[in-house]
Amino acid sequence: MVQKGSKVRILRKESYWFNDIGTVAIIEKATSTYPVLVRFTKVNYSGTNTANFKVNELIVI
């Protein structure tokens, strides 16, 4: 079960953080396409360290 503060591994292959581990920051209650905001320690090419994912694109560690 994905919940705020849990460590997750990213399964989306086209993501910069594929197979990387991040921390869940926010889970939206509304019905959005990508409801889970994950924060990482390293930044991507544009300098951000957060991204939104679907629940089925994450595995809780």
Side-chain angles (χ1 to χ4, degrees), residues 28-46:
E28 295 179 9
K29 301 292 184 198
T31 57
S32 66
T33 307
Y34 300 101
V36 183
L37 180 74
V38 180
R39 183 168 287 129
F40 301 95
T41 55
K42 65 179 185 176
V43 296
N44 64 3
Y45 302 115
S46 62

PDB file of all heavy atoms in Angstrom, residues 28-46:
ATOM      1  N   GLU A  28      -2.846  12.423  -3.911  1.00  0.00           N
ATOM      2  CA  GLU A  28      -4.058  13.199  -4.129  1.00  0.00           C
ATOM      3  C   GLU A  28      -5.293  12.322  -3.936  1.00  0.00           C
ATOM      4  O   GLU A  28      -5.305  11.172  -4.329  1.00  0.00           O
ATOM      5  CB  GLU A  28      -4.063  13.780  -5.540  1.00  0.00           C
ATOM      6  CG  GLU A  28      -2.986  14.786  -5.788  1.00  0.00           C
ATOM      7  CD  GLU A  28      -3.012  15.317  -7.211  1.00  0.00           C
ATOM      8  OE1 GLU A  28      -3.969  15.019  -7.952  1.00  0.00           O
ATOM      9  OE2 GLU A  28      -2.072  16.027  -7.568  1.00  0.00           O
ATOM     10  N   LYS A  29      -6.310  12.895  -3.354  1.00  0.00           N
ATOM     11  CA  LYS A  29      -7.563  12.181  -3.156  1.00  0.00           C
ATOM     12  C   LYS A  29      -8.454  12.270  -4.387  1.00  0.00           C
ATOM     13  O   LYS A  29      -9.285  11.415  -4.619  1.00  0.00           O
ATOM     14  CB  LYS A  29      -8.319  12.751  -1.948  1.00  0.00           C
ATOM     15  CG  LYS A  29      -7.546  12.677  -0.664  1.00  0.00           C
ATOM     16  CD  LYS A  29      -7.361  11.264  -0.199  1.00  0.00           C
ATOM     17  CE  LYS A  29      -6.672  11.266   1.152  1.00  0.00           C
ATOM     18  NZ  LYS A  29      -6.082  10.004   1.492  1.00  0.00           N
ATOM     19  N   ALA A  30      -8.284  13.323  -5.186  1.00  0.00           N
ATOM     20  CA  ALA A  30      -9.100  13.495  -6.392  1.00  0.00           C
ATOM     21  C   ALA A  30      -8.711  12.453  -7.435  1.00  0.00           C
ATOM     22  O   ALA A  30      -7.638  11.856  -7.382  1.00  0.00           O
ATOM     23  CB  ALA A  30      -8.900  14.896  -6.953  1.00  0.00           C
ATOM     24  N   THR A  31      -9.574  12.260  -8.391  1.00  0.00           N
ATOM     25  CA  THR A  31      -9.326  11.260  -9.423  1.00  0.00           C
ATOM     26  C   THR A  31      -8.491  11.868 -10.546  1.00  0.00           C
ATOM     27  O   THR A  31      -8.999  12.271 -11.584  1.00  0.00           O
ATOM     28  CB  THR A  31     -10.648  10.726  -9.990  1.00  0.00           C
ATOM     29  OG1 THR A  31     -11.400  11.840 -10.489  1.00  0.00           O
ATOM     30  CG2 THR A  31     -11.447   9.999  -8.932  1.00  0.00           C
ATOM     31  N   SER A  32      -7.197  11.960 -10.343  1.00  0.00           N
ATOM     32  CA  SER A  32      -6.301  12.446 -11.378  1.00  0.00           C
ATOM     33  C   SER A  32      -5.571  11.265 -11.997  1.00  0.00           C
ATOM     34  O   SER A  32      -5.546  10.166 -11.445  1.00  0.00           O
ATOM     35  CB  SER A  32      -5.308  13.457 -10.817  1.00  0.00           C
ATOM     36  OG  SER A  32      -4.446  12.828  -9.917  1.00  0.00           O
ATOM     37  N   THR A  33      -4.936  11.488 -13.130  1.00  0.00           N
ATOM     38  CA  THR A  33      -4.240  10.415 -13.830  1.00  0.00           C
ATOM     39  C   THR A  33      -2.988   9.974 -13.087  1.00  0.00           C
ATOM     40  O   THR A  33      -2.683   8.791 -13.002  1.00  0.00           O
ATOM     41  CB  THR A  33      -3.851  10.877 -15.246  1.00  0.00           C
ATOM     42  OG1 THR A  33      -5.023  11.385 -15.895  1.00  0.00           O
ATOM     43  CG2 THR A  33      -3.293   9.735 -16.055  1.00  0.00           C
ATOM     44  N   TYR A  34      -2.244  10.936 -12.520  1.00  0.00           N
ATOM     45  CA  TYR A  34      -1.010  10.641 -11.797  1.00  0.00           C
ATOM     46  C   TYR A  34      -1.124  11.206 -10.377  1.00  0.00           C
ATOM     47  O   TYR A  34      -0.621  12.283 -10.096  1.00  0.00           O
ATOM     48  CB  TYR A  34       0.184  11.251 -12.529  1.00  0.00           C
ATOM     49  CG  TYR A  34       0.339  10.715 -13.932  1.00  0.00           C
ATOM     50  CD1 TYR A  34      -0.093  11.433 -15.038  1.00  0.00           C
ATOM     51  CD2 TYR A  34       0.907   9.467 -14.144  1.00  0.00           C
ATOM     52  CE1 TYR A  34       0.040  10.929 -16.311  1.00  0.00           C
ATOM     53  CE2 TYR A  34       1.050   8.954 -15.418  1.00  0.00           C
ATOM     54  CZ  TYR A  34       0.611   9.693 -16.498  1.00  0.00           C
ATOM     55  OH  TYR A  34       0.755   9.177 -17.764  1.00  0.00           O
ATOM     56  N   PRO A  35      -1.729  10.467  -9.465  1.00  0.00           N
ATOM     57  CA  PRO A  35      -2.046  11.021  -8.141  1.00  0.00           C
ATOM     58  C   PRO A  35      -0.904  11.012  -7.120  1.00  0.00           C
ATOM     59  O   PRO A  35      -1.018  11.642  -6.079  1.00  0.00           O
ATOM     60  CB  PRO A  35      -3.174  10.125  -7.658  1.00  0.00           C
ATOM     61  CG  PRO A  35      -2.893   8.810  -8.294  1.00  0.00           C
ATOM     62  CD  PRO A  35      -2.316   9.152  -9.650  1.00  0.00           C
ATOM     63  N   VAL A  36       0.205  10.329  -7.395  1.00  0.00           N
ATOM     64  CA  VAL A  36       1.259  10.180  -6.391  1.00  0.00           C
ATOM     65  C   VAL A  36       2.458  11.050  -6.767  1.00  0.00           C
ATOM     66  O   VAL A  36       3.051  10.878  -7.835  1.00  0.00           O
ATOM     67  CB  VAL A  36       1.707   8.703  -6.266  1.00  0.00           C
ATOM     68  CG1 VAL A  36       2.751   8.551  -5.174  1.00  0.00           C
ATOM     69  CG2 VAL A  36       0.520   7.810  -5.989  1.00  0.00           C
ATOM     70  N   LEU A  37       2.822  11.975  -5.875  1.00  0.00           N
ATOM     71  CA  LEU A  37       4.001  12.819  -6.065  1.00  0.00           C
ATOM     72  C   LEU A  37       5.159  12.197  -5.305  1.00  0.00           C
ATOM     73  O   LEU A  37       5.072  11.978  -4.099  1.00  0.00           O
ATOM     74  CB  LEU A  37       3.745  14.233  -5.563  1.00  0.00           C
ATOM     75  CG  LEU A  37       4.910  15.198  -5.699  1.00  0.00           C
ATOM     76  CD1 LEU A  37       5.080  15.609  -7.158  1.00  0.00           C
ATOM     77  CD2 LEU A  37       4.712  16.419  -4.845  1.00  0.00           C
ATOM     78  N   VAL A  38       6.263  11.908  -6.024  1.00  0.00           N
ATOM     79  CA  VAL A  38       7.428  11.268  -5.430  1.00  0.00           C
ATOM     80  C   VAL A  38       8.603  12.239  -5.489  1.00  0.00           C
ATOM     81  O   VAL A  38       8.850  12.868  -6.511  1.00  0.00           O
ATOM     82  CB  VAL A  38       7.781   9.957  -6.177  1.00  0.00           C
ATOM     83  CG1 VAL A  38       9.004   9.295  -5.560  1.00  0.00           C
ATOM     84  CG2 VAL A  38       6.605   9.006  -6.160  1.00  0.00           C
ATOM     85  N   ARG A  39       9.339  12.338  -4.385  1.00  0.00           N
ATOM     86  CA  ARG A  39      10.508  13.220  -4.281  1.00  0.00           C
ATOM     87  C   ARG A  39      11.773  12.353  -4.245  1.00  0.00           C
ATOM     88  O   ARG A  39      11.818  11.334  -3.561  1.00  0.00           O
ATOM     89  CB  ARG A  39      10.396  14.068  -3.025  1.00  0.00           C
ATOM     90  CG  ARG A  39      11.516  15.070  -2.868  1.00  0.00           C
ATOM     91  CD  ARG A  39      11.209  16.083  -1.787  1.00  0.00           C
ATOM     92  NE  ARG A  39      10.183  16.998  -2.277  1.00  0.00           N
ATOM     93  CZ  ARG A  39       9.059  17.296  -1.617  1.00  0.00           C
ATOM     94  NH1 ARG A  39       8.827  16.774  -0.435  1.00  0.00           N
ATOM     95  NH2 ARG A  39       8.189  18.130  -2.124  1.00  0.00           N
ATOM     96  N   PHE A  40      12.806  12.801  -4.977  1.00  0.00           N
ATOM     97  CA  PHE A  40      14.057  12.062  -5.091  1.00  0.00           C
ATOM     98  C   PHE A  40      15.220  12.877  -4.537  1.00  0.00           C
ATOM     99  O   PHE A  40      15.113  14.087  -4.356  1.00  0.00           O
ATOM    100  CB  PHE A  40      14.335  11.724  -6.566  1.00  0.00           C
ATOM    101  CG  PHE A  40      13.246  10.915  -7.192  1.00  0.00           C
ATOM    102  CD1 PHE A  40      12.223  11.531  -7.906  1.00  0.00           C
ATOM    103  CD2 PHE A  40      13.225   9.542  -7.078  1.00  0.00           C
ATOM    104  CE1 PHE A  40      11.207  10.796  -8.479  1.00  0.00           C
ATOM    105  CE2 PHE A  40      12.216   8.795  -7.650  1.00  0.00           C
ATOM    106  CZ  PHE A  40      11.205   9.416  -8.356  1.00  0.00           C
ATOM    107  N   THR A  41      16.368  12.221  -4.295  1.00  0.00           N
ATOM    108  CA  THR A  41      17.545  12.935  -3.800  1.00  0.00           C
ATOM    109  C   THR A  41      18.325  13.576  -4.934  1.00  0.00           C
ATOM    110  O   THR A  41      18.930  14.621  -4.752  1.00  0.00           O
ATOM    111  CB  THR A  41      18.476  11.991  -3.019  1.00  0.00           C
ATOM    112  OG1 THR A  41      18.814  10.888  -3.854  1.00  0.00           O
ATOM    113  CG2 THR A  41      17.797  11.498  -1.752  1.00  0.00           C
ATOM    114  N   LYS A  42      18.322  12.962  -6.118  1.00  0.00           N
ATOM    115  CA  LYS A  42      19.036  13.555  -7.252  1.00  0.00           C
ATOM    116  C   LYS A  42      18.059  14.276  -8.177  1.00  0.00           C
ATOM    117  O   LYS A  42      16.881  13.944  -8.227  1.00  0.00           O
ATOM    118  CB  LYS A  42      19.833  12.506  -8.018  1.00  0.00           C
ATOM    119  CG  LYS A  42      19.006  11.451  -8.709  1.00  0.00           C
ATOM    120  CD  LYS A  42      19.911  10.490  -9.452  1.00  0.00           C
ATOM    121  CE  LYS A  42      19.075   9.493 -10.247  1.00  0.00           C
ATOM    122  NZ  LYS A  42      19.896   8.608 -11.048  1.00  0.00           N
ATOM    123  N   VAL A  43      18.577  15.251  -8.901  1.00  0.00           N
ATOM    124  CA  VAL A  43      17.746  16.042  -9.808  1.00  0.00           C
ATOM    125  C   VAL A  43      17.897  15.519 -11.235  1.00  0.00           C
ATOM    126  O   VAL A  43      18.901  14.917 -11.585  1.00  0.00           O
ATOM    127  CB  VAL A  43      18.106  17.547  -9.753  1.00  0.00           C
ATOM    128  CG1 VAL A  43      17.823  18.106  -8.393  1.00  0.00           C
ATOM    129  CG2 VAL A  43      19.544  17.777 -10.128  1.00  0.00           C
ATOM    130  N   ASN A  44      16.875  15.782 -12.070  1.00  0.00           N
ATOM    131  CA  ASN A  44      16.946  15.374 -13.469  1.00  0.00           C
ATOM    132  C   ASN A  44      17.589  16.473 -14.304  1.00  0.00           C
ATOM    133  O   ASN A  44      18.143  17.429 -13.778  1.00  0.00           O
ATOM    134  CB  ASN A  44      15.566  14.986 -13.993  1.00  0.00           C
ATOM    135  CG  ASN A  44      14.587  16.127 -14.005  1.00  0.00           C
ATOM    136  OD1 ASN A  44      14.908  17.264 -13.674  1.00  0.00           O
ATOM    137  ND2 ASN A  44      13.360  15.832 -14.388  1.00  0.00           N
ATOM    138  N   TYR A  45      17.494  16.359 -15.623  1.00  0.00           N
ATOM    139  CA  TYR A  45      18.160  17.299 -16.530  1.00  0.00           C
ATOM    140  C   TYR A  45      17.633  18.716 -16.413  1.00  0.00           C
ATOM    141  O   TYR A  45      18.358  19.668 -16.672  1.00  0.00           O
ATOM    142  CB  TYR A  45      18.023  16.824 -17.972  1.00  0.00           C
ATOM    143  CG  TYR A  45      18.585  15.453 -18.193  1.00  0.00           C
ATOM    144  CD1 TYR A  45      17.763  14.393 -18.541  1.00  0.00           C
ATOM    145  CD2 TYR A  45      19.942  15.206 -18.034  1.00  0.00           C
ATOM    146  CE1 TYR A  45      18.282  13.130 -18.732  1.00  0.00           C
ATOM    147  CE2 TYR A  45      20.467  13.954 -18.227  1.00  0.00           C
ATOM    148  CZ  TYR A  45      19.632  12.913 -18.577  1.00  0.00           C
ATOM    149  OH  TYR A  45      20.152  11.664 -18.755  1.00  0.00           O
ATOM    150  N   SER A  46      16.378  18.877 -16.035  1.00  0.00           N
ATOM    151  CA  SER A  46      15.811  20.226 -15.913  1.00  0.00           C
ATOM    152  C   SER A  46      15.909  20.777 -14.494  1.00  0.00           C
ATOM    153  O   SER A  46      15.396  21.856 -14.218  1.00  0.00           O
ATOM    154  CB  SER A  46      14.356  20.233 -16.389  1.00  0.00           C
ATOM    155  OG  SER A  46      13.582  19.376 -15.590  1.00  0.00           O
TER     156      SER A  46
END
